[in-house]
Amino acid sequence: MTQLASKTLADLGWPTILAQLSTRCHTARGMREAENLAFCASPAEARRRIELVAEGRRLRALEDPPPFGGIREIDDEVARAAKGGVLECEELIAVAETIMGCALLRCHLVGRATPAPGLAAIAAPIAELTHVSGPIRDSFADNGRLVDQASAALGPLRRAASALRDELSARTSSLLDDPTIAPHLTDRFATQRNDRYVVPVRTAARSRVAGIVHDTSQSGHTVFVEPAEIVELNNRLKMAEADVAAEEQRILAELSGYVREEVAAIRLATDTATALDLLDGGAALADALDASSPDLVDGALELVRARHPLMVLSGRACVPNDIVVAAGTVLVLS
């Protein structure tokens, strides 16, 4: 089909119609593709789209529209996983939620094959991929943090680091009362610099407290010293935290591997969900317009009680008109 010139489309209000379609889609990809929707390439394709939109309207009339909850835009994440990249926590969660959302969409439509056979057939190839979404979902808490049970090693490593952290905090606090250190402090608190526990020492008394200087105050009156007594504890904590970080990274790499193994199926699922989102958006727009499904036939153009869609959407009073253009003739509107 020959595409119309952009000016012609603008004059017809086509970009506004697509914008209205976009607002009725549910997913980010669906909204974006709606704004750039191309005309059907053939009458057969147009008839097929009309049938599918009609099925969507039928489900809406039954108050049973397809669900799109949880489906996110994960193209970049999937592409990075396909290249061997390791996804971050929130990215893996987005992938898992999208997989589950697509599976729910498939289940819903396949279970409604009688009122919507075409939509059910489109949704059928979506794979559930529970072997991907399940381990990811089970590995994260509601706050997006890896749970201790994400691996056999993670919980014990975290507990070991936590115990060291408590020991170090208590030991550092006790130094605030040490008679060899307390008189030289600018304040009675312990803090951290460069992820090491330190105490605030007067700059003039720096040589009175054995340890490592990690920072100075903006005024220059205070130096933050890691007392020699806790250097080894700080070292042990850093090593324990490094072990935790390494195990967390290993888990993320493993979960990313599950995504990488099913890249093709995930892309099929998201592409299918986008196509179904466009059709459901079309059904919602058709309902808003109180539109009728046209019969595409060769020959005369016959519009019964035709209304301009933008006038309908604007809420303005719109008088329907019957328009008939016989084959081989034209109608000029001034």
Side-chain angles (χ1 to χ4, degrees), residues 160-229:
S162 180
L164 280 170
R165 199 174 294 111
D166 292 343
E167 181 183 355
L168 185 53
S169 178
R171 182 74 181 103
T172 305
S173 296
S174 72
L175 292 177
L176 301 178
D177 297 319
D178 190 312
T180 65
I181 294 178
H184 311 300
L185 300 178
T186 58
D187 208 338
R188 292 185 56 77
F189 70 87
T191 185
Q192 286 183 297
R193 290 294 188 276
N194 302 322
D195 295 327
R196 311 279 292 193
Y197 281 77
V198 296
V199 294
V201 178
R202 286 184 291 110
T203 301
R206 163 65 192 91
S207 61
R208 301 295 185 88
V209 179
I212 303 169
V213 175
H214 285 277
D215 198 4
T216 61
S217 65
Q218 288 185 348
S219 67
H221 296 155
T222 300
V223 290
F224 295 96
V225 178
E226 178 185 1
E229 293 91 332

Side-chain angles (χ1 to χ4, degrees), residues 55-309:
E55 290 183 10
R57 297 184 72 182
R58 195 173 302 135
L59 292 179
R60 286 179 165 273
L62 296 171
E63 298 185 352
D64 200 17
F68 292 90
I71 299 175
R72 314 262 286 276
E73 188 166 15
I74 57 170
D75 292 359
D76 292 344
E77 290 82 353
V78 173
R80 194 159 70 256
K83 296 178 181 178
V86 177
L87 303 184
E88 298 296 330
C89 298
E90 62 274 11
E91 294 173 326
L92 284 164
I93 292 170
V95 171
E97 289 180 349
T98 298
I99 289 173
M100 292 186 290
C102 290
L104 180 62
L105 177 61
R106 175 195 181 278
C107 181
H108 183 95
L109 289 174
V110 169
R112 289 151 182 80
T114 298
L119 297 178
I122 292 173
I126 295 176
E128 292 192 4
L129 302 178
T130 54
H131 60 288
V132 179
S133 60
I136 295 175
R137 179 193 56 203
D138 294 341
S139 294
F140 294 97
D142 291 340
N143 62 5
R145 183 174 182 262
L146 281 168
V147 297
D148 289 351
Q149 298 76 24
S151 75
L154 184 58
L157 287 173
R158 281 178 171 174
R159 287 190 289 274
S162 180
L164 280 170
R165 199 174 294 111
D166 292 343
E167 181 183 355
L168 185 53
S169 178
R171 182 74 181 103
T172 305
S173 296
S174 72
L175 292 177
L176 301 178
D177 297 319
D178 190 312
T180 65
I181 294 178
H184 311 300
L185 300 178
T186 58
D187 208 338
R188 292 185 56 77
F189 70 87
T191 185
Q192 286 183 297
R193 290 294 188 276
N194 302 322
D195 295 327
R196 311 279 292 193
Y197 281 77
V198 296
V199 294
V201 178
R202 286 184 291 110
T203 301
R206 163 65 192 91
S207 61
R208 301 295 185 88
V209 179
I212 303 169
V213 175
H214 285 277
D215 198 4
T216 61
S217 65
Q218 288 185 348
S219 67
H221 296 155
T222 300
V223 290
F224 295 96
V225 178
E226 178 185 1
E229 293 91 332
I230 62 171
V231 169
E232 180 55 28
L233 264 178
N234 262 325
N235 289 341
R236 287 169 57 192
L237 177 58
K238 292 290 287 184
M239 293 175 63
E241 289 175 341
D243 289 340
V244 171
E247 178 61 13
E248 289 176 343
Q249 190 68 9
R250 188 199 65 77
I251 295 168
L252 296 181
E254 181 179 342
L255 297 175
S256 298
Y258 297 156
V259 176
R260 181 167 57 254
E261 291 170 0
E262 295 292 356
V263 163
I266 294 172
R267 284 174 172 162
L268 174 62
T270 55
D271 289 348
T272 302
T274 299
L276 291 167
D277 192 18
L278 282 168
L279 292 169
D280 185 66
L285 180 57
D287 281 350
L289 291 168
D290 191 23
S292 300
S293 297
D295 293 325
L296 300 185
V297 297
D298 295 331
L301 171 67
E302 183 176 355
L303 303 179
V304 180
R305 295 181 58 78
R307 298 158 298 141
H308 196 296

